[in-house]
Amino acid sequence: MATLQDIGVSAFINILSAFAFLLAFALLRIQPVNDRVYFPKWYFARARKSPRRAGNFVGKFVNLNFTTYLTFLNWMPQAMKMTEAEIIDHAGLDSAVFLRIYTLGLKIFMPVTVVALLILIPVNVSDGTISFLKKDLVTSDIDKLSISNVRPQSSRFFIHIGLEYLFTIWTCFMLYKEYDNIASMRLRYLASQHRRVDQFTVVVRNVPHASGKSVSDSVDRFFQTNHPEHYLCHQAVYDAKKFAKLVRQRERLQNWLDYYQLKFERHPEKRPTSKRGFLGLWGVRVDSIDYYKQQIKNLDRRMALEREKVIKDPESILPVAFVSFNSRWGAAVCAQTQQSKNPTLWLTNWAPEPRDVYWNNLAIPFVSLTVRKLVISLSVFALVFFYMIPIAFVQSLANLEGLERVAPFLRPVIELNFIKSFLQGFLPGLALKIFLYILPTVLVIMSKIEGHIAMSMLERKAAAKYYYFMLVNVFLGSIITGTAFEQLHSFLHQSATEIPRTIGVSIPMKATFFITYIMVDGWAGIAAEILRLKSLVIYHLKNMFLVKTERDRERAMDPGSVDYPETLPTLQLYFLLGIVYAVVTPILLPFILVFFALAYLVYRHQIINVYNQQYESVAAFWPHVHSRIIASLLISQLLLMGLLSTKEAANSTPLLVILPILTLAFHKYCKSRFEPAFRKYPLEEAMAKDIAERAAEPNLNLKAYLADAYLHPIFQSFVVEEEQVIQVRVDKHQSHHVSPSGSGSELSSPSPPHHVSISQHQVEHNYEQNYEHSYEHNYEHNYDYQYEAEHRNYYSYHYEGQP
């Protein structure tokens, strides 16, 4: 059991680590050579220029303005400058609501911490039952501050019950206000958007096969029949994995061509040459520019043939389509109703925004989806319990006294004070953090196999799995296995009737382990997040060895995004710990507050300057956050009921029975009151938006606007012009073609070409992501996500004289 000395050692190590990370970040961020690592978002927005372009040779790498070193900590007030409305414009509603979770934690736990420390600590300390149990149990001075120190049958438990009611009411009040605010923010955000293609489009899955008809003909006929007044057009989805491989190959060749052309521009007196053999080590020496131009030309022919082959092959059309309507109202009716008497066919749902589409999962059949979900559920269940083994090992490190009693031969090794304090106060939290490092990636892969069609949904499902894992392994697993290790001697030498009482006393003592975990993960870990050490090293390695063009340098920046599959469950774990231990061991609460405050500051800075979100779900994750905070309240109430039952508090325990019922009733009310705003699009809102749009733009050509919104990668025509742009050939004004059956249909097949210029990197990047994201850059006119010139005045902050 960790003592006050162990907690002090852990706090010293973690505070020192966090300070070192923050100091290193403050110094590294003002160096010109690191500017693209710490401000990539502004480079992608074309709102920042590299400071390396000016100054002498040394000044391109090191900041020679020594006055900036005196104000190197001003990143903290700068991170607080943007208002919430500006953050929504700058980074989207998802980012703004994500930050609100941290402020919610501060709003809940600041008053709870003050009340708990002022009332519960004196109540717990003055009873002193721990001193009578020391001969049987492994205890520490911290346990004197917990409910374990209150004598059985004490009337003081009424104070704990009263505060449990008070904390629950306060948490529910704050949750209600936050749910109301975020639901309103979501509706305002949707209403303020000038136009979004996903408001007019539904994704249709499990299109039934009809003999003698293609999938496109079936979709066209079905929606012309069942939605005759609102159906506009649809876009088919193709299986083009081989074509995607050719795209990636072409991009590599294009990179080399760009590199040698830049090299020739810098030294026009000598044309670059290279050997054609493996890695350029042997083979015939050729003119590099001519060689790669010819290679790209040959590959373009192969791609054209492959593209034509896929388009003409009926088997390559997948039983899924993006169906667009001439009004938001028509799309809302289709997306929110059942289309067929067979509920497994013609499955409709709102289409994700184009950059949110995960193309690989679009064509999974209904039966396969059910099987996949079952298999993944069993796999997650097995994974959770497999991880109990390393969790138990971590707990053995956290409870050395219990092991010493059973295995006294270990005592000489771990008896030294500093080693013992390090092992108990720092190593358990660090070991647990390491064991959890790769888990989110594994769970995201599992969610992809599960068959979800949007990246936002994939990440929410992965976050749910990770939350259940954290609940079972980190919270319950740590308590159960930790209690077994701590009280092993007591369990072996007392009667079975006394074991429940021993567990009841022991569970609050696990607060010491969670305190060490919070300091490692929530203090040092958050400070390490802002340093971006991994991204910094990778960027400079790529810059030295791989970057050949400006396009390569942009990719090397790798700004990343908020890692929802990991950060949301971790946040929910901190809510769980704070709510559970607020009444049981309130000394843990100040450590929680430090985490919320530091994390809010760090993530605010990262969202403003670094992260470049892949998609915008309009805060679709908030209902999950709300539900898991409610679950934390229920766990807290049930745990306190069980704890009081072991304390023989028969008179006071029944008073808690009504609290879970009231909490569930509150959750049900919030679910029915606010959740529809996150699940459905009100027809009233859709109709009002349609009427206003028709009045403002009576001549709007909606078909042209939607023609290439969900353009499948197979419709890309890779022809490199002198300006090195790619022509996407899609008919935006004439969508009719003659189907094999001779009937006219409105499809997104290539017709007389309409040329849209987009950068090669933007298109091919979509393929590299396995069709995970659609064409946010290709069709900027469809969205209001771009940075308007009038906003840049208050976005363009000055960092130590660097714009």
Side-chain angles (χ1 to χ4, degrees), residues 167-186:
F167 294 163
T168 299
I169 291 171
W170 172 250
T171 303
C172 290
F173 173 70
M174 295 308 302
L175 281 174
Y176 179 86
K177 288 185 62 178
E178 198 68 17
Y179 215 150
D180 189 15
N181 289 335
I182 293 175
S184 300
M185 289 170 63
R186 175 182 168 89

mmCIF file with all atom_site columns, all heavy atoms in Angstrom, residues 167-186:
data_model
loop_
_atom_site.group_PDB
_atom_site.id
_atom_site.type_symbol
_atom_site.label_atom_id
_atom_site.label_alt_id
_atom_site.label_comp_id
_atom_site.label_asym_id
_atom_site.label_entity_id
_atom_site.label_seq_id
_atom_site.pdbx_PDB_ins_code
_atom_site.Cartn_x
_atom_site.Cartn_y
_atom_site.Cartn_z
_atom_site.occupancy
_atom_site.B_iso_or_equiv
_atom_site.pdbx_formal_charge
_atom_site.auth_seq_id
_atom_site.auth_comp_id
_atom_site.auth_asym_id
_atom_site.auth_atom_id
_atom_site.pdbx_PDB_model_num
ATOM 1   N N   . PHE A 1 167 ? -24.094 15.700 -4.238  1.00 0.00 ? 167 PHE A N   1
ATOM 2   C CA  . PHE A 1 167 ? -23.202 15.609 -5.404  1.00 0.00 ? 167 PHE A CA  1
ATOM 3   C C   . PHE A 1 167 ? -23.949 15.089 -6.630  1.00 0.00 ? 167 PHE A C   1
ATOM 4   O O   . PHE A 1 167 ? -23.690 15.548 -7.750  1.00 0.00 ? 167 PHE A O   1
ATOM 5   C CB  . PHE A 1 167 ? -22.020 14.694 -5.079  1.00 0.00 ? 167 PHE A CB  1
ATOM 6   C CG  . PHE A 1 167 ? -21.101 15.228 -4.009  1.00 0.00 ? 167 PHE A CG  1
ATOM 7   C CD1 . PHE A 1 167 ? -20.201 14.395 -3.353  1.00 0.00 ? 167 PHE A CD1 1
ATOM 8   C CD2 . PHE A 1 167 ? -21.141 16.567 -3.644  1.00 0.00 ? 167 PHE A CD2 1
ATOM 9   C CE1 . PHE A 1 167 ? -19.363 14.886 -2.365  1.00 0.00 ? 167 PHE A CE1 1
ATOM 10  C CE2 . PHE A 1 167 ? -20.306 17.065 -2.654  1.00 0.00 ? 167 PHE A CE2 1
ATOM 11  C CZ  . PHE A 1 167 ? -19.416 16.221 -2.012  1.00 0.00 ? 167 PHE A CZ  1
ATOM 12  N N   . THR A 1 168 ? -24.852 14.134 -6.425  1.00 0.00 ? 168 THR A N   1
ATOM 13  C CA  . THR A 1 168 ? -25.629 13.613 -7.553  1.00 0.00 ? 168 THR A CA  1
ATOM 14  C C   . THR A 1 168 ? -26.522 14.693 -8.150  1.00 0.00 ? 168 THR A C   1
ATOM 15  O O   . THR A 1 168 ? -26.597 14.855 -9.380  1.00 0.00 ? 168 THR A O   1
ATOM 16  C CB  . THR A 1 168 ? -26.481 12.417 -7.115  1.00 0.00 ? 168 THR A CB  1
ATOM 17  O OG1 . THR A 1 168 ? -25.629 11.369 -6.634  1.00 0.00 ? 168 THR A OG1 1
ATOM 18  C CG2 . THR A 1 168 ? -27.312 11.885 -8.269  1.00 0.00 ? 168 THR A CG2 1
ATOM 19  N N   . ILE A 1 169 ? -27.208 15.446 -7.292  1.00 0.00 ? 169 ILE A N   1
ATOM 20  C CA  . ILE A 1 169 ? -28.093 16.518 -7.775  1.00 0.00 ? 169 ILE A CA  1
ATOM 21  C C   . ILE A 1 169 ? -27.275 17.569 -8.531  1.00 0.00 ? 169 ILE A C   1
ATOM 22  O O   . ILE A 1 169 ? -27.680 18.043 -9.605  1.00 0.00 ? 169 ILE A O   1
ATOM 23  C CB  . ILE A 1 169 ? -28.845 17.150 -6.587  1.00 0.00 ? 169 ILE A CB  1
ATOM 24  C CG1 . ILE A 1 169 ? -29.846 16.146 -6.017  1.00 0.00 ? 169 ILE A CG1 1
ATOM 25  C CG2 . ILE A 1 169 ? -29.562 18.424 -7.025  1.00 0.00 ? 169 ILE A CG2 1
ATOM 26  C CD1 . ILE A 1 169 ? -30.479 16.590 -4.713  1.00 0.00 ? 169 ILE A CD1 1
ATOM 27  N N   . TRP A 1 170 ? -26.116 17.950 -7.985  1.00 0.00 ? 170 TRP A N   1
ATOM 28  C CA  . TRP A 1 170 ? -25.278 18.950 -8.647  1.00 0.00 ? 170 TRP A CA  1
ATOM 29  C C   . TRP A 1 170 ? -24.778 18.437 -10.002 1.00 0.00 ? 170 TRP A C   1
ATOM 30  O O   . TRP A 1 170 ? -24.815 19.179 -10.999 1.00 0.00 ? 170 TRP A O   1
ATOM 31  C CB  . TRP A 1 170 ? -24.103 19.308 -7.744  1.00 0.00 ? 170 TRP A CB  1
ATOM 32  C CG  . TRP A 1 170 ? -23.070 20.176 -8.400  1.00 0.00 ? 170 TRP A CG  1
ATOM 33  C CD1 . TRP A 1 170 ? -21.811 19.837 -8.762  1.00 0.00 ? 170 TRP A CD1 1
ATOM 34  C CD2 . TRP A 1 170 ? -23.230 21.549 -8.789  1.00 0.00 ? 170 TRP A CD2 1
ATOM 35  N NE1 . TRP A 1 170 ? -21.149 20.892 -9.346  1.00 0.00 ? 170 TRP A NE1 1
ATOM 36  C CE2 . TRP A 1 170 ? -22.009 21.965 -9.377  1.00 0.00 ? 170 TRP A CE2 1
ATOM 37  C CE3 . TRP A 1 170 ? -24.277 22.458 -8.697  1.00 0.00 ? 170 TRP A CE3 1
ATOM 38  C CZ2 . TRP A 1 170 ? -21.817 23.248 -9.856  1.00 0.00 ? 170 TRP A CZ2 1
ATOM 39  C CZ3 . TRP A 1 170 ? -24.075 23.747 -9.198  1.00 0.00 ? 170 TRP A CZ3 1
ATOM 40  C CH2 . TRP A 1 170 ? -22.865 24.124 -9.758  1.00 0.00 ? 170 TRP A CH2 1
ATOM 41  N N   . THR A 1 171 ? -24.327 17.175 -10.056 1.00 0.00 ? 171 THR A N   1
ATOM 42  C CA  . THR A 1 171 ? -23.834 16.608 -11.319 1.00 0.00 ? 171 THR A CA  1
ATOM 43  C C   . THR A 1 171 ? -24.947 16.539 -12.351 1.00 0.00 ? 171 THR A C   1
ATOM 44  O O   . THR A 1 171 ? -24.740 16.890 -13.526 1.00 0.00 ? 171 THR A O   1
ATOM 45  C CB  . THR A 1 171 ? -23.251 15.211 -11.068 1.00 0.00 ? 171 THR A CB  1
ATOM 46  O OG1 . THR A 1 171 ? -22.207 15.292 -10.091 1.00 0.00 ? 171 THR A OG1 1
ATOM 47  C CG2 . THR A 1 171 ? -22.691 14.616 -12.350 1.00 0.00 ? 171 THR A CG2 1
ATOM 48  N N   . CYS A 1 172 ? -26.140 16.106 -11.939 1.00 0.00 ? 172 CYS A N   1
ATOM 49  C CA  . CYS A 1 172 ? -27.263 16.025 -12.882 1.00 0.00 ? 172 CYS A CA  1
ATOM 50  C C   . CYS A 1 172 ? -27.664 17.414 -13.372 1.00 0.00 ? 172 CYS A C   1
ATOM 51  O O   . CYS A 1 172 ? -27.997 17.589 -14.559 1.00 0.00 ? 172 CYS A O   1
ATOM 52  C CB  . CYS A 1 172 ? -28.447 15.325 -12.221 1.00 0.00 ? 172 CYS A CB  1
ATOM 53  S SG  . CYS A 1 172 ? -28.203 13.556 -11.938 1.00 0.00 ? 172 CYS A SG  1
ATOM 54  N N   . PHE A 1 173 ? -27.627 18.390 -12.483 1.00 0.00 ? 173 PHE A N   1
ATOM 55  C CA  . PHE A 1 173 ? -27.958 19.766 -12.886 1.00 0.00 ? 173 PHE A CA  1
ATOM 56  C C   . PHE A 1 173 ? -26.991 20.269 -13.951 1.00 0.00 ? 173 PHE A C   1
ATOM 57  O O   . PHE A 1 173 ? -27.393 20.841 -14.971 1.00 0.00 ? 173 PHE A O   1
ATOM 58  C CB  . PHE A 1 173 ? -27.934 20.674 -11.662 1.00 0.00 ? 173 PHE A CB  1
ATOM 59  C CG  . PHE A 1 173 ? -28.094 22.130 -11.979 1.00 0.00 ? 173 PHE A CG  1
ATOM 60  C CD1 . PHE A 1 173 ? -29.307 22.638 -12.434 1.00 0.00 ? 173 PHE A CD1 1
ATOM 61  C CD2 . PHE A 1 173 ? -27.026 23.012 -11.844 1.00 0.00 ? 173 PHE A CD2 1
ATOM 62  C CE1 . PHE A 1 173 ? -29.451 23.988 -12.732 1.00 0.00 ? 173 PHE A CE1 1
ATOM 63  C CE2 . PHE A 1 173 ? -27.156 24.352 -12.151 1.00 0.00 ? 173 PHE A CE2 1
ATOM 64  C CZ  . PHE A 1 173 ? -28.378 24.846 -12.591 1.00 0.00 ? 173 PHE A CZ  1
ATOM 65  N N   . MET A 1 174 ? -25.700 20.033 -13.737 1.00 0.00 ? 174 MET A N   1
ATOM 66  C CA  . MET A 1 174 ? -24.699 20.472 -14.705 1.00 0.00 ? 174 MET A CA  1
ATOM 67  C C   . MET A 1 174 ? -24.822 19.690 -16.010 1.00 0.00 ? 174 MET A C   1
ATOM 68  O O   . MET A 1 174 ? -24.645 20.249 -17.099 1.00 0.00 ? 174 MET A O   1
ATOM 69  C CB  . MET A 1 174 ? -23.296 20.316 -14.134 1.00 0.00 ? 174 MET A CB  1
ATOM 70  C CG  . MET A 1 174 ? -22.987 21.204 -12.931 1.00 0.00 ? 174 MET A CG  1
ATOM 71  S SD  . MET A 1 174 ? -23.341 22.957 -13.220 1.00 0.00 ? 174 MET A SD  1
ATOM 72  C CE  . MET A 1 174 ? -22.299 23.283 -14.629 1.00 0.00 ? 174 MET A CE  1
ATOM 73  N N   . LEU A 1 175 ? -25.112 18.389 -15.915 1.00 0.00 ? 175 LEU A N   1
ATOM 74  C CA  . LEU A 1 175 ? -25.303 17.582 -17.125 1.00 0.00 ? 175 LEU A CA  1
ATOM 75  C C   . LEU A 1 175 ? -26.497 18.075 -17.927 1.00 0.00 ? 175 LEU A C   1
ATOM 76  O O   . LEU A 1 175 ? -26.452 18.129 -19.167 1.00 0.00 ? 175 LEU A O   1
ATOM 77  C CB  . LEU A 1 175 ? -25.487 16.117 -16.754 1.00 0.00 ? 175 LEU A CB  1
ATOM 78  C CG  . LEU A 1 175 ? -24.224 15.319 -16.418 1.00 0.00 ? 175 LEU A CG  1
ATOM 79  C CD1 . LEU A 1 175 ? -24.596 13.919 -15.938 1.00 0.00 ? 175 LEU A CD1 1
ATOM 80  C CD2 . LEU A 1 175 ? -23.299 15.222 -17.624 1.00 0.00 ? 175 LEU A CD2 1
ATOM 81  N N   . TYR A 1 176 ? -27.585 18.412 -17.254 1.00 0.00 ? 176 TYR A N   1
ATOM 82  C CA  . TYR A 1 176 ? -28.775 18.902 -17.948 1.00 0.00 ? 176 TYR A CA  1
ATOM 83  C C   . TYR A 1 176 ? -28.468 20.199 -18.700 1.00 0.00 ? 176 TYR A C   1
ATOM 84  O O   . TYR A 1 176 ? -28.810 20.355 -19.878 1.00 0.00 ? 176 TYR A O   1
ATOM 85  C CB  . TYR A 1 176 ? -29.908 19.126 -16.947 1.00 0.00 ? 176 TYR A CB  1
ATOM 86  C CG  . TYR A 1 176 ? -31.166 19.657 -17.582 1.00 0.00 ? 176 TYR A CG  1
ATOM 87  C CD1 . TYR A 1 176 ? -32.107 18.799 -18.144 1.00 0.00 ? 176 TYR A CD1 1
ATOM 88  C CD2 . TYR A 1 176 ? -31.427 21.034 -17.631 1.00 0.00 ? 176 TYR A CD2 1
ATOM 89  C CE1 . TYR A 1 176 ? -33.266 19.292 -18.739 1.00 0.00 ? 176 TYR A CE1 1
ATOM 90  C CE2 . TYR A 1 176 ? -32.567 21.533 -18.218 1.00 0.00 ? 176 TYR A CE2 1
ATOM 91  C CZ  . TYR A 1 176 ? -33.486 20.654 -18.776 1.00 0.00 ? 176 TYR A CZ  1
ATOM 92  O OH  . TYR A 1 176 ? -34.625 21.153 -19.380 1.00 0.00 ? 176 TYR A OH  1
ATOM 93  N N   . LYS A 1 177 ? -27.817 21.134 -18.011 1.00 0.00 ? 177 LYS A N   1
ATOM 94  C CA  . LYS A 1 177 ? -27.481 22.398 -18.655 1.00 0.00 ? 177 LYS A CA  1
ATOM 95  C C   . LYS A 1 177 ? -26.555 22.172 -19.844 1.00 0.00 ? 177 LYS A C   1
ATOM 96  O O   . LYS A 1 177 ? -26.725 22.789 -20.904 1.00 0.00 ? 177 LYS A O   1
ATOM 97  C CB  . LYS A 1 177 ? -26.815 23.325 -17.644 1.00 0.00 ? 177 LYS A CB  1
ATOM 98  C CG  . LYS A 1 177 ? -27.744 23.896 -16.581 1.00 0.00 ? 177 LYS A CG  1
ATOM 99  C CD  . LYS A 1 177 ? -27.018 24.899 -15.687 1.00 0.00 ? 177 LYS A CD  1
ATOM 100 C CE  . LYS A 1 177 ? -26.510 26.089 -16.482 1.00 0.00 ? 177 LYS A CE  1
ATOM 101 N NZ  . LYS A 1 177 ? -25.852 27.092 -15.616 1.00 0.00 ? 177 LYS A NZ  1
ATOM 102 N N   . GLU A 1 178 ? -25.584 21.268 -19.679 1.00 0.00 ? 178 GLU A N   1
ATOM 103 C CA  . GLU A 1 178 ? -24.631 21.035 -20.764 1.00 0.00 ? 178 GLU A CA  1
ATOM 104 C C   . GLU A 1 178 ? -25.297 20.364 -21.954 1.00 0.00 ? 178 GLU A C   1
ATOM 105 O O   . GLU A 1 178 ? -25.045 20.718 -23.111 1.00 0.00 ? 178 GLU A O   1
ATOM 106 C CB  . GLU A 1 178 ? -23.476 20.173 -20.245 1.00 0.00 ? 178 GLU A CB  1
ATOM 107 C CG  . GLU A 1 178 ? -22.236 20.217 -21.111 1.00 0.00 ? 178 GLU A CG  1
ATOM 108 C CD  . GLU A 1 178 ? -21.553 21.573 -21.077 1.00 0.00 ? 178 GLU A CD  1
ATOM 109 O OE1 . GLU A 1 178 ? -21.828 22.374 -20.156 1.00 0.00 ? 178 GLU A OE1 1
ATOM 110 O OE2 . GLU A 1 178 ? -20.739 21.839 -21.984 1.00 0.00 ? 178 GLU A OE2 1
ATOM 111 N N   . TYR A 1 179 ? -26.162 19.373 -21.681 1.00 0.00 ? 179 TYR A N   1
ATOM 112 C CA  . TYR A 1 179 ? -26.879 18.690 -22.774 1.00 0.00 ? 179 TYR A CA  1
ATOM 113 C C   . TYR A 1 179 ? -27.751 19.696 -23.536 1.00 0.00 ? 179 TYR A C   1
ATOM 114 O O   . TYR A 1 179 ? -27.789 19.700 -24.775 1.00 0.00 ? 179 TYR A O   1
ATOM 115 C CB  . TYR A 1 179 ? -27.747 17.570 -22.196 1.00 0.00 ? 179 TYR A CB  1
ATOM 116 C CG  . TYR A 1 179 ? -27.864 16.347 -23.080 1.00 0.00 ? 179 TYR A CG  1
ATOM 117 C CD1 . TYR A 1 179 ? -28.047 15.079 -22.522 1.00 0.00 ? 179 TYR A CD1 1
ATOM 118 C CD2 . TYR A 1 179 ? -27.817 16.437 -24.463 1.00 0.00 ? 179 TYR A CD2 1
ATOM 119 C CE1 . TYR A 1 179 ? -28.159 13.954 -23.314 1.00 0.00 ? 179 TYR A CE1 1
ATOM 120 C CE2 . TYR A 1 179 ? -27.929 15.329 -25.268 1.00 0.00 ? 179 TYR A CE2 1
ATOM 121 C CZ  . TYR A 1 179 ? -28.102 14.081 -24.685 1.00 0.00 ? 179 TYR A CZ  1
ATOM 122 O OH  . TYR A 1 179 ? -28.203 12.971 -25.485 1.00 0.00 ? 179 TYR A OH  1
ATOM 123 N N   . ASP A 1 180 ? -28.442 20.546 -22.794 1.00 0.00 ? 180 ASP A N   1
ATOM 124 C CA  . ASP A 1 180 ? -29.287 21.572 -23.415 1.00 0.00 ? 180 ASP A CA  1
ATOM 125 C C   . ASP A 1 180 ? -28.455 22.515 -24.279 1.00 0.00 ? 180 ASP A C   1
ATOM 126 O O   . ASP A 1 180 ? -28.809 22.814 -25.428 1.00 0.00 ? 180 ASP A O   1
ATOM 127 C CB  . ASP A 1 180 ? -30.016 22.346 -22.320 1.00 0.00 ? 180 ASP A CB  1
ATOM 128 C CG  . ASP A 1 180 ? -31.079 23.278 -22.884 1.00 0.00 ? 180 ASP A CG  1
ATOM 129 O OD1 . ASP A 1 180 ? -31.442 23.125 -24.065 1.00 0.00 ? 180 ASP A OD1 1
ATOM 130 O OD2 . ASP A 1 180 ? -31.541 24.161 -22.153 1.00 0.00 ? 180 ASP A OD2 1
ATOM 131 N N   . ASN A 1 181 ? -27.323 22.973 -23.755 1.00 0.00 ? 181 ASN A N   1
ATOM 132 C CA  . ASN A 1 181 ? -26.471 23.897 -24.507 1.00 0.00 ? 181 ASN A CA  1
ATOM 133 C C   . ASN A 1 181 ? -25.904 23.251 -25.766 1.00 0.00 ? 181 ASN A C   1
ATOM 134 O O   . ASN A 1 181 ? -25.887 23.858 -26.841 1.00 0.00 ? 181 ASN A O   1
ATOM 135 C CB  . ASN A 1 181 ? -25.326 24.385 -23.617 1.00 0.00 ? 181 ASN A CB  1
ATOM 136 C CG  . ASN A 1 181 ? -25.799 25.341 -22.539 1.00 0.00 ? 181 ASN A CG  1
ATOM 137 O OD1 . ASN A 1 181 ? -26.826 25.994 -22.693 1.00 0.00 ? 181 ASN A OD1 1
ATOM 138 N ND2 . ASN A 1 181 ? -25.060 25.418 -21.438 1.00 0.00 ? 181 ASN A ND2 1
ATOM 139 N N   . ILE A 1 182 ? -25.421 22.018 -25.631 1.00 0.00 ? 182 ILE A N   1
ATOM 140 C CA  . ILE A 1 182 ? -24.783 21.361 -26.777 1.00 0.00 ? 182 ILE A CA  1
ATOM 141 C C   . ILE A 1 182 ? -25.811 21.000 -27.834 1.00 0.00 ? 182 ILE A C   1
ATOM 142 O O   . ILE A 1 182 ? -25.545 21.120 -29.046 1.00 0.00 ? 182 ILE A O   1
ATOM 143 C CB  . ILE A 1 182 ? -23.987 20.132 -26.309 1.00 0.00 ? 182 ILE A CB  1
ATOM 144 C CG1 . ILE A 1 182 ? -22.797 20.584 -25.463 1.00 0.00 ? 182 ILE A CG1 1
ATOM 145 C CG2 . ILE A 1 182 ? -23.509 19.300 -27.493 1.00 0.00 ? 182 ILE A CG2 1
ATOM 146 C CD1 . ILE A 1 182 ? -22.000 19.464 -24.853 1.00 0.00 ? 182 ILE A CD1 1
ATOM 147 N N   . ALA A 1 183 ? -27.013 20.559 -27.417 1.00 0.00 ? 183 ALA A N   1
ATOM 148 C CA  . ALA A 1 183 ? -28.069 20.286 -28.401 1.00 0.00 ? 183 ALA A CA  1
ATOM 149 C C   . ALA A 1 183 ? -28.433 21.563 -29.162 1.00 0.00 ? 183 ALA A C   1
ATOM 150 O O   . ALA A 1 183 ? -28.624 21.537 -30.384 1.00 0.00 ? 183 ALA A O   1
ATOM 151 C CB  . ALA A 1 183 ? -29.293 19.699 -27.698 1.00 0.00 ? 183 ALA A CB  1
ATOM 152 N N   . SER A 1 184 ? -28.510 22.677 -28.451 1.00 0.00 ? 184 SER A N   1
ATOM 153 C CA  . SER A 1 184 ? -28.804 23.954 -29.117 1.00 0.00 ? 184 SER A CA  1
ATOM 154 C C   . SER A 1 184 ? -27.668 24.366 -30.050 1.00 0.00 ? 184 SER A C   1
ATOM 155 O O   . SER A 1 184 ? -27.908 24.859 -31.154 1.00 0.00 ? 184 SER A O   1
ATOM 156 C CB  . SER A 1 184 ? -29.039 25.040 -28.062 1.00 0.00 ? 184 SER A CB  1
ATOM 157 O OG  . SER A 1 184 ? -30.134 24.706 -27.228 1.00 0.00 ? 184 SER A OG  1
ATOM 158 N N   . MET A 1 185 ? -26.436 24.159 -29.603 1.00 0.00 ? 185 MET A N   1
ATOM 159 C CA  . MET A 1 185 ? -25.284 24.478 -30.449 1.00 0.00 ? 185 MET A CA  1
ATOM 160 C C   . MET A 1 185 ? -25.311 23.649 -31.729 1.00 0.00 ? 185 MET A C   1
ATOM 161 O O   . MET A 1 185 ? -25.006 24.153 -32.815 1.00 0.00 ? 185 MET A O   1
ATOM 162 C CB  . MET A 1 185 ? -23.988 24.226 -29.686 1.00 0.00 ? 185 MET A CB  1
ATOM 163 C CG  . MET A 1 185 ? -23.697 25.220 -28.572 1.00 0.00 ? 185 MET A CG  1
ATOM 164 S SD  . MET A 1 185 ? -22.321 24.706 -27.520 1.00 0.00 ? 185 MET A SD  1
ATOM 165 C CE  . MET A 1 185 ? -20.971 24.695 -28.713 1.00 0.00 ? 185 MET A CE  1
ATOM 166 N N   . ARG A 1 186 ? -25.670 22.382 -31.603 1.00 0.00 ? 186 ARG A N   1
ATOM 167 C CA  . ARG A 1 186 ? -25.717 21.499 -32.780 1.00 0.00 ? 186 ARG A CA  1
ATOM 168 C C   . ARG A 1 186 ? -26.767 21.985 -33.777 1.00 0.00 ? 186 ARG A C   1
ATOM 169 O O   . ARG A 1 186 ? -26.501 22.079 -34.981 1.00 0.00 ? 186 ARG A O   1
ATOM 170 C CB  . ARG A 1 186 ? -26.017 20.068 -32.336 1.00 0.00 ? 186 ARG A CB  1
ATOM 171 C CG  . ARG A 1 186 ? -26.202 19.088 -33.485 1.00 0.00 ? 186 ARG A CG  1
ATOM 172 C CD  . ARG A 1 186 ? -26.538 17.705 -32.969 1.00 0.00 ? 186 ARG A CD  1
ATOM 173 N NE  . ARG A 1 186 ? -26.986 16.811 -34.028 1.00 0.00 ? 186 ARG A NE  1
ATOM 174 C CZ  . ARG A 1 186 ? -26.197 16.050 -34.767 1.00 0.00 ? 186 ARG A CZ  1
ATOM 175 N NH1 . ARG A 1 186 ? -24.889 16.081 -34.568 1.00 0.00 ? 186 ARG A NH1 1
ATOM 176 N NH2 . ARG A 1 186 ? -26.694 15.270 -35.708 1.00 0.00 ? 186 ARG A NH2 1
#
